[in-house]
């Protein structure tokens, strides 16, 4: 193929207008959209169709023939028909022998059939070279030319040359081919466009649930309680004050939940004395969504930062400032600077800023293009060392900020603790256990286990 | 080639110092810079030149021979001469037969010649294997070793093995080759280094124009009007107050302009009853620069956030706060908290924060490495659903903030509306029409049209 | 191989469960972890081991045979043993002829041996096809299934088909292969996992050193001096006030240090009259870490922004505001707005905001995925033009902010200048020299030199 194509190129008077004919089986929406785009990119297109009368729907520069005649005109045939009609291709096996068949089909749900559509096609027509491609591209985007989304086209197939030919077409259409290996990858490629953030589902539902709980907890304590017992209407707290109480709590808890499964894993390995047994399913799943949990925690932390920074702009805040100053004036005394207070206020602000700064660093290193440029050792350093440092700083920030209320009885409305106190349970537990785990007497056997040593080989059976 | 090279490797005593000789035709700046770099990377380099006397300019470890002798010494020949001198290669056709010729040339303007330089070279020397490469690399960057910029080298060519050989050299120089397919891609590769943000031009000029208009509009109303009629000098408003009025207005209008072409497209499709006719040119271009418009809108929104947050640090703000409190004290009364005001102020802040948060999310998903990792369905979800939600929140933020001035006659200086009111026209229009478009009686035919159905097939002729 | 594999595929009843047997030599930790993972991905695994008695440690679905028998069962043999034991493979040369040997070894330090382990293996067994792969993957991550880090597996080898086979396995394990070319790249691949941010070392140590110096300088002047001479305890300044003095100073100096080496390079080239001589080593190294210096400067600038924005939340700030207002009230007078002050305060805030905005833009364009999508001309425009504009704005921000203290003797405690003044030295020097360099009489010869012209050819010898 290489030799042929390079010769053709070299002899052609103006190579940039000379492309090989492509055949498309099927005149459905995607077949038409792809044909339109290919004609625009300079490919002669011939459609294979049951009825050869020229339909208005088909791009007007394309030829329409019967399936067999159309297939003979091209080396590449795009199969733009649904899997359940693949059987009609069997009588054409002889015509399609040695041709490149491009399977572009999608299913309606994940793992709908035992084997992928492309593998099914390859079994029906063993003499043809099946390549899976284009199924992740939207017909509407192709048609309107507005491919804002990913321009990546996943391509897989067992024949390297056939794959190269398809990848050249992909490039000519202005898209980026991505070789995913042999046809075994077709199942994954067919499942890909059906997903909607699969890894994000659990973290998002967990966050929504916790957020709702803490929100109503705060509404009860800060608005309803105040309204009933102090007869003050603070309903406007719903807009900023309460979100700014829920966000930091969520950020801290979710950040701790990122490091909790690692703690569980270490304890399980220490208990079992081996690393060669699988973790329980819930722990496996938890570990796989740590990145998502961390990013949601970062989102909450960012909201907390902005909610905090707008405080001086609030009508409530300027009213409160004014009230404080006026009461000082009316009492005719100037309060001196309270040094303890100045220390506390500056400390928790500084701790929060540094914690947030490290948190943002962690977020940046989890961008795909950044994490692809660091090796395993560097990634571990950032995500583990800097991550724990961020957790320590954020926990300290909360402790210093909320510390003064822990022992004050007025903080326990309806005998319920303030949410600061609730938010500290998980992070403190994680930090305490982690502190125990880095003691040499615990760390040494754990390191050995992770390097493959087994305390009790019977477990590994 | 594979067999040969692996044998050579296996037999050589220290393979890492053993590289194949490369020939460079032309001793101009780029030829010399590339030669320097190749010698540093361990390649023996031989120059082909008209005058074989050793020039001082040529790297001292390189050999200099006549063109024919130099070409015979190497399998790869880098053609570092300008396109208009390619003719002198024709007499060398026999020597160059079967060799890999690397075309590194660039043109002075886009699409200067009907066919690319590399294709022109391939036509002149049909017996050689032409590969396009290195034209996107700067000679100065190669020379100084400071390749901070993209290390990507686009490579295209019709012969797969020739391309592999060139890509190996690219890797050995510490650069990253990117296979762009057959020689048909050469035109695009040659145009690439001549561009300066082509997609950004229209959005940036539009933004500059609108910004200038709104800036002078504000200067007229807020500074000149106040100076003439109230005799107050607020010229320092130019630094922060007015930019902080222009930025949110620009952000909101540009964000609405991102969604406006989609509205137009839907209306045109509904009117025509088909998706198989091209949109007008202006709409096509507009749709292609939506991402850029959105990112510029995000930049304005970010500036608005920072300009707003620094407010309490301004001398003017602390003077105004003090004045307010002192007037309360001198009147000897403490104003109670205005609950309506507290609600309004907290609401527009919260709406703005949430809108900005979604806006930043949209910005992050448009980073190339992130958008490459989401499929079409996920991208649509984020850019369409979350995008409209951001537009709704930002419009509501502006409405709640500016609402109280709409009906107040004092807001109409010189009978001109405040820019808040101007800024709301486009977003409100977009939201209203979008609201109509999602009614089932309108949405259903539109969905059918986008799936390929045609109301009136005569249009598609 | 292509033909074989595609036939096998087409004939197999359910191809997705049919994978080729892989042999692993060595039952150490990594060999076991890789075996586990391969069995999970559907590969039959056979271990080659000295003792063929089935160990408990080996995955229970794997076969264990002697080395020769195991090797005969598979086309791909993974060599999971250490380099110093490679010699024992020599007697197996005949069995291993034509097989694909995957070298997964790592060394303990950078460039430990003159040639890479993979090249060493290829020399020992010239009849086998050696491919380097998997050495950058962590056994622990493979085992626990938590590959949060980079999923990239660098692959290199001289035989293209052997490389394809290994890359297919990599993909089947859920990882992303990255072709790094011929076996010459093995040295680099083996060094890769041993690095810990090598380019960041110098910039980070420099920043830490400078930060410590400025921090103690400020502690001395702002806390100790005040305590001794004014008997005021401002020790709480350590948390926010002093960090917020050090951060902007560091950001400005580091940003200037990004542009300083370019200035030196221009002067050296002007003096030498040629670009064809290498820069001194220190300048080369400096130029290579400019990106890192810039990003650290951006981190300091971001901290400065957040530290500044929290100011109104500090107990100290509200105490000071209250004190100011109360003193006005007690003196029974309202101060009018100081227009000069309002201008100055708004100007330095606006300059700082715009400078920071450009700085963030520079940071975003240095993300790998963004800088890969811009060409050399665009990158130069952003990093050079916008970068200098950011430096000018930030320097102006500092000048306007600190200007009033330059000539005031009270700013010189212990006859030492304030750190504002220190921080301005480098950026002002850079800007002044750059201003001289863009004069036509200097710029013209420099441009000629960079295009390859030489004033005095004797230098290039």
């Amino acid at each position: 193929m290489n030799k042929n194509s390079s010769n053709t190129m070299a002899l052609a008077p103006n190579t940039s207008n000379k492309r090989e004919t492509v055949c498309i089986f099927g005149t459905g929406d995607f077949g038409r959209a792809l044909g339109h785009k290919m004609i625009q990119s300079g490919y002669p297109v011939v459609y294979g169709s049951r009825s050869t009368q020229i339909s208005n729907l088909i791009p007007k520069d394309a030829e329409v023939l019967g399936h067999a005649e159309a297939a003979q005109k091209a080396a590449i045939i795009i199969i733009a028909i649904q899997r359940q009609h693949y059987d009609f291709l069997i009588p054409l096996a002889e015509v399609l022998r040695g041709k490149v068949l491009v399977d572009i089909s999608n299913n309606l749900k994940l793992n709908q059939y035992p084997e992928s559509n492309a593998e099914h096609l390859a079994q029906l027509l063993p003499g043809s070279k099946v390549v899976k491609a284009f199924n992740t591209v939207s017909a509407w985007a192709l048609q309107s030319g507005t491919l804002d989304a990913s321009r990546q086209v996943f391509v897989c197939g067992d024949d390297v040359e056939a794959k190269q030919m398809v990848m050249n077409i992909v490039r000519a259409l202005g898209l980026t081919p991505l070789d995913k290996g042999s046809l075994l990858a077709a199942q994954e490629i067919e499942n890909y466009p059906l997903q909607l953030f699969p890894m994000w589902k659990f973290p998002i539902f967990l966050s929504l649930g916790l957020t709702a709980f803490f929100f109503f907890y705060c509404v009860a304590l800060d608005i309803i309680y105040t309204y009933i017992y102090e007869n003050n209407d603070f309903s406007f707290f719903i807009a900023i004050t309460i979100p700014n109480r829920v966000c930091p709590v969520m950020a801290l808890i979710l950040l701790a939940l990122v490091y909790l499964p690692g703690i569980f894993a270490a304890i399980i390995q220490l208990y079992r004395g081996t690393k060669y047994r699988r973790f329980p399913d819930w722990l496996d799943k938890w570990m796989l969504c740590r990145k998502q949990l961390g990013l949601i925690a970062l989102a909450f932390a960012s909201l907390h930062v902005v909610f905090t920074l707008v405080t001086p702009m609030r009508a409530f805040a300027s009213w409160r400032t004014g009230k404080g100053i006026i009461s000082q004036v009316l009492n005719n005394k100037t309060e001196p600077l309270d040094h303890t207070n100045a220390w506390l206020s500056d400390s928790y602000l500084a701790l929060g800023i540094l914690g947030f700064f490290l948190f943002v660093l962690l977020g940046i290193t989890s961008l795909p293009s950044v994490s692809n440029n660091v090796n395993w050792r560097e990634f571990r350093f950032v995500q583990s060392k800097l991550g724990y440092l961020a957790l320590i700083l954020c926990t300290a920030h909360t402790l210093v900020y909320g510390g003064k209320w822990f022992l004050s009885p007025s903080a326990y409305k309806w005998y319920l603790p303030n949410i600061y106190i609730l938010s500290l349970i998980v992070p403190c537990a994680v930090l305490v256990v982690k502190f125990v785990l880095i003691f040499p007497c615990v760390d040494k056997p754990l390191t050995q286990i992770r390097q493959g040593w087994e305390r009790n080989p019977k477990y590994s059976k």
Side-chain angles (χ1 to χ4, degrees), chain A:
Chain A
M1 171 256 167
N2 288 324
K3 217 179 157 189
N4 282 342
S5 70
S6 72
N7 282 354
T8 320
M9 297 295 163
L11 297 171
N14 188 345
T15 53
S16 54
N17 298 322
K18 188 77 189 165
R19 302 209 189 252
E20 286 168 27
T21 301
V22 174
C23 169
I24 299 176
F25 275 15
T27 55
D29 184 37
F30 198 85
R32 266 144 40 203
L34 201 57
H36 266 285
K37 187 77 187 169
M38 284 179 161
I39 289 169
Q40 277 173 29
S41 306
Y43 284 97
V45 169
V46 52
Y47 279 94
S49 172
R50 259 160 305 176
S51 87
T52 59
Q53 63 180 75
I54 292 162
S55 153
N56 287 317
L57 301 168
I58 285 175
K60 63 177 183 300
D61 296 326
E63 219 176 334
V64 183
L65 300 170
H67 287 111
E69 297 81 47
Q72 273 159 349
K73 290 222 169 186
I76 296 181
I77 295 142
I78 289 166
I79 310 294
I81 53 182
Q82 287 172 307
R83 178 194 171 114
Q84 53 265 41
H85 304 133
Y86 280 3
D87 289 342
F88 97 94
L89 294 168
I90 298 177
L92 298 166
E94 225 20 71
V95 183
L96 300 176
R97 178 166 301 280
K99 304 269 184 186
V100 178
L101 306 187
V102 185
D103 183 306
I104 62 166
S105 63
N106 269 323
N107 293 324
L108 295 175
K109 50 186 190 194
L110 293 170
N111 301 313
Q112 196 171 358
Y113 299 98
E115 81 285 294
S116 68
N117 301 351
E119 286 167 305
H120 177 61
L121 185 62
Q123 286 161 33
L124 292 177
L125 300 164
S128 306
K129 300 163 188 167
V130 173
V131 174
K132 180 87 206 178
F134 287 115
N135 70 309
T136 56
V137 179
S138 137
W140 157 242
L142 262 184
Q143 185 63 35
S144 64
T146 56
L147 286 155
D148 296 324
S150 172
R151 293 171 167 274
Q152 287 189 330
V153 173
F154 297 126
V155 179
C156 76
D158 291 327
D159 188 284
V160 172
E161 285 187 6
K163 211 153 59 172
Q164 277 298 333
M165 288 165 77
V166 175
M167 284 163 77
N168 278 337
I169 294 179
V170 172
R171 285 193 196 98
L173 302 188
L175 303 163
T176 311
L178 203 76
D179 188 347
K180 298 289 275 183
S182 73
L183 214 54
L184 291 169
Q187 186 98 38
E188 191 197 325
I189 297 179
E190 289 176 9
N191 281 337
Y192 183 74
L194 298 170
Q195 297 168 346
L196 187 63
F197 297 113
M199 301 302 296
W200 288 87
K201 251 168 212 158
F202 171 69
I204 283 180
F205 286 129
L206 177 74
S207 314
L208 287 180
L210 280 175
T211 306
F213 169 73
F214 285 122
F215 187 80
F216 289 116
Y217 193 93
C218 282
V219 167
L221 290 197
D222 292 330
I223 299 182
I224 298 176
Y225 182 94
T226 319
Y227 190 74
I228 295 175
Y229 292 94
E230 304 171 12
N231 206 18
N232 266 328
D233 176 15
F234 281 142
S235 59
F236 65 89
F237 275 15
I238 284 178
I240 290 192
T241 309
I242 289 179
N244 199 22
R245 247 168 238 181
V246 174
C247 284
V249 165
M250 288 302 299
L252 189 59
I253 292 180
L254 289 178
L255 183 59
L257 290 183
V258 170
Y259 292 97
L260 191 54
I263 300 274
F264 280 138
I267 292 172
I268 288 175
Q269 287 179 330
L270 274 174
Y271 173 76
R272 287 180 178 167
T274 177
K275 73 166 184 180
Y276 291 107
R277 284 176 64 204
R278 294 205 66 144
F279 293 127
D281 243 26
W282 56 268
L283 189 56
D284 258 358
K285 280 186 191 150
W286 191 351
M287 291 183 101
L288 286 172
C289 68
R290 287 183 295 180
K291 181 178 160 181
Q292 283 74 20
L293 282 172
L295 289 175
I296 295 176
L298 178 57
F300 277 111
S302 310
L303 280 175
H304 168 50
V305 168
V306 185
F307 272 123
T308 305
L309 292 178
V310 298
T311 304
M313 256 129 277
R314 296 173 63 193
F316 175 63
S318 45
W319 170 78
R320 205 172 43 181
T321 308
K323 210 178 88 173
I325 293 170
I326 292 167
S327 80
Q328 283 183 52
V329 171
L330 297 182
N331 296 330
N332 213 357
K333 61 160 186 171
T334 322
E335 279 172 22
L337 178 62
D338 177 349
H339 276 77
T340 317
N341 209 18
W343 257 112
L344 280 178
S345 111
D346 279 16
S347 306
Y348 87 75
L349 288 171
L351 286 168
I353 291 169
L354 293 178
F356 181 66
F357 175 74
L358 287 182
F359 212 157
V360 170
L361 264 194
L362 293 179
I364 292 172
T365 49
S366 71
L367 282 174
S369 70
V370 177
S371 66
N372 275 342
N373 279 295
V374 298
N375 64 33
W376 176 251
R377 208 179 144 206
E378 293 164 345
F379 186 82
R380 286 259 308 173
F381 175 79
V382 172
Q383 296 291 333
S384 178
K385 297 266 163 54
L386 295 191
Y388 264 107
L389 190 54
L391 182 58
I392 291 170
L393 287 170
C394 292
T395 310
H397 165 70
T398 314
L399 275 169
V400 174
Y401 174 64
K404 53 188 170 191
W405 288 309
F406 281 155
L407 297 175
S408 139
S410 75
Y412 295 84
K413 300 172 182 164
W414 282 330
Y415 305 104
L416 289 172
N418 202 306
I419 60 167
Y420 302 114
I421 300 166
L422 294 182
S423 77
L424 283 164
I425 298 168
V426 189
C428 288
V430 168
L431 289 178
V432 167
V433 180
K434 180 71 187 177
F435 184 68
V436 172
L437 285 175
I438 57 172
F439 268 92
C441 59
V442 184
D443 186 49
K444 217 175 130 190
L446 188 60
T447 307
Q448 284 178 333
I449 287 167
R450 289 191 175 166
Q451 283 166 353
W453 175 83
E454 294 196 288
R455 188 172 59 224
N456 199 344
K458 80 178 158 140
Y459 269 119
S460 64
K461 279 193 194 145

